[in-house]
Amino acid sequence: GVILHRASTEIVYANPMALELLGANAETIAGTPNSEWSFINRDGLPMPVSEYPVNRVVTERKVIHGMLFGNRRASDGKLVWALCSAFPIIDDSGEVTEVLTSFTDITKIIEAETEANAFRQRFELAAAATQDAIFEWNLETNEFWANDAYEVIYGYRPP
């Protein structure tokens, strides 16, 4: 998605992909300041408005690359994760007049990562709770992992 903001953070233009990702429509989004959005950090806590990409670009007067934030879509309430870059448009006097933001929906990546972490945590709990030795040996890299029961059963620490 691509959005053009005034330095005051009001939206001038949002392309169709931005509208879809935000769950907004062109009629209602134009002129909206970004303080009306509720972005969240990766930890699930609200992102302070001063940390929003557009606000940071206006304040810092430099490009912001790869900023991650979540936004609950207005249209359906779905939490969408975006990776955003923001670029200042600076006039001859050195003032930021507009900010161009581009963002990519990475919701599926974040969801897959969250699911993988949950599986890993469940596996680690099960491996710690069992009295059976569980180990993995990668023959190509010679990496070896074992749970605590390995040492109890075989009498020595894993290699």
Side-chain angles (χ1 to χ4, degrees), residues 21-24 37 71-78:
L21 292 174
L22 293 172
W37 298 95
N71 179 54
R72 212 159 277 289
R73 263 197 310 227
S75 60
D76 60 7
K78 180 175 173 35

Side-chain angles (χ1 to χ4, degrees), residues 4-141:
L4 179 64
H5 300 262
R6 291 189 180 93
S8 63
T9 79
E10 293 172 343
I11 294 174
V12 176
Y13 170 79
N15 76 349
M17 182 56 71
L19 295 172
E20 180 181 327
L21 292 174
L22 293 172
N25 62 58
E27 296 78 36
T28 59
I29 201 169
T32 303
N34 70 1
S35 60
E36 292 190 21
W37 298 95
S38 299
F39 297 149
I40 63 169
N41 290 312
R42 180 64 197 264
D43 60 9
L45 295 175
M47 179 182 286
V49 174
S50 62
E51 292 296 312
Y52 287 12
V54 173
N55 296 43
R56 284 190 51 204
V57 166
V58 171
T59 302
E60 299 171 17
R61 298 174 52 194
K62 64 180 185 180
V63 175
I64 303 291
H65 287 290
M67 186 173 181
L68 175 68
F69 64 86
N71 179 54
R72 212 159 277 289
R73 263 197 310 227
S75 60
D76 60 7
K78 180 175 173 35
L79 179 58
V80 176
W81 290 97
L83 199 57
C84 178
S85 294
F87 309 89
I89 299 171
I90 300 174
D91 66 13
D92 293 338
S93 66
E95 295 298 315
V96 175
T97 58
E98 294 176 316
V99 178
L100 183 66
T101 58
S102 72
F103 50 98
T104 302
D105 181 0
I106 61 165
T107 304
K108 289 182 181 180
I109 294 169
I110 297 294
E111 289 171 348
E113 184 180 272
T114 301
E115 186 177 357
N117 284 336
F119 281 130
R120 188 193 86 248
Q121 288 174 350
R122 284 197 295 271
F123 172 76
E124 287 175 356
L125 286 172
T130 186
Q131 295 178 10
D132 296 324
I134 300 174
F135 64 91
E136 176 185 22
W137 182 11
N138 184 326
L139 296 175
E140 291 179 8
T141 65

